[in-house]
Amino acid sequence: MKFYLILCVAIIISGCQKSAETKGGTKSPFENKSFPQFGIEEAEQLAELPLECITQEFPNKLGQVLGSEADLARPKALRPAFYGCFDWHSAVHSQWSLVKLLKDFPELKQADSLRSALSQRLTAENIQTEIEFFETEHNTNFERTYGWAWLFTLARELKTWEDPQAQEWLTNLMPLVEVLEEKIMTFLPKLVYPIRVGEHPNTAFALSMTLDYAKTFEKEALRALIIKRSRDFYLGDKNCPIGWEPGGYDFLSPCLEEVSLMAKVLPENEFQVWAKDFMPGLFSKYFSLEVAEVSDRSDGKLVHLDGLNFSRAWNLYELADTYEAFYHLKTTADQHFAKAYPNLFGDTYEGSHWLGTFALYALEKRPE
């Protein structure tokens, strides 16, 4: 009997080790760890995802409206700063990933390649071409508001990095940032109802990221507008139906995006009262969410659910880091993160071109 038990344990351990391997035979950085220690080796592995995709022009989802034959051109000609990674917003946030990794890990073995890639894209000339596209009659609202929010986040990362080259990139980027800032300030007063979906148009997601940008750049008018509109949209909300989540294509949680935004917008006492009406379960130490499952990683929509695991994680991390009453949420966030992270490596392009950014953003939000 004793031999039989030992044999069973050995088989189980062997099976666990094999399941920790990804498609290319590379072992996940999470192997034999309850939660990963994200160090230089993991950073170098993660850096390969955006570094490769920002130079990959095809396949490409342009998402533009063609006004005439003159608009027919290769992605690289149309979007010289942000043409890779399948679509414009993914190219933007992939460049955020490169900046974030360089900033946190200056000793990266790919540091020179990362800097070269950013320097080739974030030129004044390339940014001017991007601006001209946004000024065309049919594309003035291109990437509203998801891509705009990621561009603001890229600018914020550059602003907070005391690196001469980063400040040069920021100087080149700011004319486009200012164009989109003006656009969002024009748009928000017109938006009668918030968009509550679990994909790109989600209003709370964009407002949250843009508010962070406004604070960093001391854009008081923009900050005040976001606070006002957030109150207009969400202050009366109660009993968010978290049990209805996730939708089959979600990569954002409508409930958690709203909670995270209002935690930034409302004073502490007012937020506590609001949150108990909106999502009282968050206050329970037994709070949990079932981790989302992806059935087909080659399907660009179904793989969104790994993004949901990461975005849920970063929202829960932000709440845990902001309020002691929510610190227990870190456990649920860790479960979501640990489920999705091993899928990044050896993945199909449908996931690999964007999920690395979501993982990195979640790591940034995780409390120590």
Side-chain angles (χ1 to χ4, degrees):
M1 176 63 73
K2 194 176 291 185
F3 172 78
Y4 176 74
L5 289 173
I6 292 172
L7 180 61
C8 288
V9 170
I11 291 172
I12 292 170
I13 291 173
S14 176
C16 290
Q17 289 174 337
K18 288 180 180 179
S19 67
E21 296 179 1
T22 58
K23 291 182 181 178
T26 303
K27 291 187 177 180
S28 160
F30 280 21
E31 187 178 358
N32 298 326
K33 301 174 184 178
S34 59
F35 193 88
Q37 298 297 313
F38 192 79
I40 184 66
E41 291 183 8
E42 292 80 10
E44 288 174 346
Q45 190 175 14
L46 191 59
E48 288 299 320
L49 300 177
L51 183 60
E52 180 176 347
C53 85
I54 65 169
T55 60
Q56 183 167 333
E57 191 174 5
F58 300 103
N60 199 298
K61 183 179 180 181
L62 287 173
Q64 72 184 75
V65 176
L66 298 176
S68 69
E69 289 185 5
D71 294 333
L72 295 172
R74 288 182 56 158
K76 191 172 183 179
L78 293 166
R79 320 262 200 280
F82 306 111
Y83 67 82
C85 299
F86 188 68
D87 49 37
W88 193 86
H89 56 258
S90 297
V92 171
H93 67 55
S94 290
Q95 292 191 39
W96 170 83
S97 295
L98 298 185
V99 171
K100 178 64 176 172
L101 288 166
L102 277 169
K103 187 176 175 181
D104 291 349
F105 299 93
E107 69 277 24
L108 283 172
K109 66 182 180 183
Q110 311 102 317
D112 290 343
S113 296
L114 269 59
R115 286 182 177 273
S116 176
L118 289 164
S119 292
Q120 289 173 31
R121 280 149 194 81
L122 298 180
T123 67
E125 182 180 4
N126 286 349
I127 296 302
Q128 182 56 41
T129 301
E130 299 276 352
I131 291 171
E132 290 169 2
F133 172 77
F134 276 97
E135 291 176 343
T136 61
E137 176 186 357
H138 300 287
N139 292 288
T140 184
N141 297 323
F142 179 71
E143 288 283 357
R144 186 179 70 187
T145 53
Y146 182 78
W148 301 1
W150 275 114
L151 192 81
F152 296 145
T153 301
L154 171 59
R156 181 172 176 265
E157 204 64 57
L158 291 168
K159 174 76 170 178
T160 55
W161 187 15
E162 293 182 1
D163 178 275
Q165 200 168 23
Q167 295 312 301
E168 179 183 343
W169 297 330
L170 179 61
T171 298
N172 293 340
L173 184 66
M174 281 309 297
L176 176 58
V177 174
E178 289 166 358
V179 166
L180 298 187
E181 182 184 330
E182 183 178 346
K183 287 182 179 296
I184 200 167
M185 291 194 71
T186 301
F187 172 65
L188 288 179
K190 298 178 182 179
L191 187 64
V192 179
Y193 311 105
I195 302 164
R196 302 177 186 272
V197 298
E199 294 188 90
H200 307 86
N202 184 280
T203 302
F205 168 86
L207 291 180
S208 186
M209 275 194 165
T210 307
L211 182 59
D212 291 342
Y213 158 81
K215 290 177 179 177
T216 298
F217 281 80
E218 299 180 349
K219 302 279 187 172
E220 189 54 39
L222 177 59
R223 178 177 174 273
L225 177 60
I226 292 171
I227 291 173
K228 179 185 184 305
R229 296 273 52 204
S230 298
R231 285 178 168 273
D232 293 342
F233 293 147
Y234 305 119
L235 196 58
D237 286 358
K238 299 180 186 297
N239 299 316
C240 191
I242 188 70
W244 293 3
E245 298 183 23
Y249 294 165
D250 285 358
F251 62 85
L252 300 172
S253 163
C255 288
L256 292 179
E257 291 297 335
E258 185 172 333
V259 175
S260 182
L261 170 65
M262 296 304 274
K264 298 176 182 180
V265 166
L266 300 177
E268 181 175 356
N269 290 341
E270 188 177 5
F271 172 73
Q272 296 280 352
V273 172
W274 178 87
K276 286 176 182 176
D277 285 338
F278 180 71
M279 204 170 165
L282 288 173
F283 292 87
S284 170
K285 65 180 180 180
Y286 301 109
F287 175 83
S288 65
L289 283 173
E290 186 176 347
V291 178
E293 295 285 344
V294 177
S295 63
D296 181 356
R297 305 202 60 77
S298 66
D299 188 307
K301 283 288 192 177
L302 296 178
V303 80
H304 275 184
L305 290 164
D306 261 346
L308 175 69
N309 288 328
F310 287 131
S311 68
R312 278 180 171 179
W314 80 52
N315 282 308
L316 294 171
Y317 285 148
E318 284 192 318
L319 291 170
D321 197 36
T322 303
Y323 293 113
E324 186 176 351
F326 289 146
Y327 192 77
H328 60 278
L329 299 177
K330 181 179 178 184
T331 300
T332 301
D334 282 350
Q335 292 167 353
H336 280 70
F337 187 94
K339 172 70 175 179
Y341 189 91
N343 296 329
L344 294 177
F345 306 103
D347 198 10
T348 62
Y349 193 60
E350 284 75 15
S352 66
H353 81 268
W354 66 282
L355 283 170
T357 295
F358 272 48
L360 192 60
Y361 196 75
L363 281 169
E364 181 190 43
K365 302 297 182 182
R366 188 173 188 262
E368 292 294 333

